[in-house]
Amino acid sequence: MSASHDHNQDDAHTGPIKTPKQLAWAVLLAFVVPILVIILLANYVSTDTKPAAGTGALDAQAVAERIAPVGRVEVKDANDAAALRTGEQVFQAQCSTCHASGALGAPKLGDAGAWGPRIKNGVEALLTSALKGKNNMPAQGGGEFSDFEIHRAVVYMANQGGAKFEEPKAPAPAASAAN
């Protein structure tokens, strides 16, 4: 039994490479296969970024679009009445998200039943709710629109719901600091 036991121990300590020819192939493949994989991966990654011949990727306009700034600063004169948006424009840009569909409990534009109790509180209460926020509606003051433009939007929506509020007067131009 010890002879067969010794034979099993010899098999347990041998590897899959039994001849010098197999060793040579294993060493060669151990170097070649990783190098081929690296070359193929580098080629795969770099071919997507190369523009094809005849494309407009390097045209001046295409380059300008890619390097254009993400945001921009717009300076407006708050006293310029022509630069101020109407109530309908503000509604379309800001308020229609909720007030056109009635999302989050917002009264729909033109729904006299929903606007009636709110109109009874007056335009100042509606404006305060719009500027400071109320229930699910976030505060609108200090955003992209001036308080005057928000006031116009409030009057527009309330009037569509049955109110007879007057359009707010444009703010008076600021006095010149030069004396």
Side-chain angles (χ1 to χ4, degrees):
M1 201 184 230
S2 72
S4 69
H5 182 59
D6 289 337
H7 180 62
N8 287 340
Q9 283 183 342
D10 290 338
D11 287 342
H13 294 290
T14 60
I17 301 172
K18 304 216 186 298
T19 66
K21 187 176 179 181
Q22 290 175 336
L23 178 62
W25 277 108
V27 170
L28 180 67
L29 291 176
F31 286 109
V32 172
V33 169
I35 290 171
L36 284 175
V37 168
I38 290 170
I39 290 171
L40 290 173
L41 283 174
N43 191 28
Y44 174 73
V45 169
S46 65
T47 55
D48 285 346
T49 59
K50 294 179 191 173
T55 65
L58 298 178
D59 290 344
Q61 183 179 357
V63 171
E65 287 175 8
R66 284 195 303 274
I67 65 171
V70 175
R72 63 186 174 104
V73 175
E74 187 176 315
V75 179
K76 301 190 286 185
D77 181 6
N79 297 321
D80 183 11
L84 297 173
R85 285 164 276 200
T86 66
E88 184 175 6
Q89 289 171 328
V90 175
F91 169 79
Q92 292 297 331
Q94 183 76 16
C95 311
S96 65
T97 304
C98 295
H99 287 283
S101 64
L104 302 174
K108 286 176 138 182
L109 182 70
D111 182 357
W115 280 98
R118 292 167 174 87
I119 292 170
K120 287 180 185 175
N121 293 331
V123 71
E124 290 303 320
L126 288 170
L127 180 60
T128 301
S129 295
L131 292 175
K132 296 184 178 179
K134 184 174 183 179
N135 298 333
N136 291 324
M137 183 176 66
Q140 304 300 319
E144 178 183 344
F145 302 105
S146 68
D147 289 358
F148 174 71
E149 291 171 315
I150 297 294
H151 190 171
R152 281 180 157 178
V154 166
V155 169
Y156 170 77
M157 288 188 292
N159 286 348
Q160 295 296 315
K164 303 274 190 264
F165 297 138
E166 278 189 38
E167 178 79 18
K169 303 290 182 229
S176 176
N179 281 335

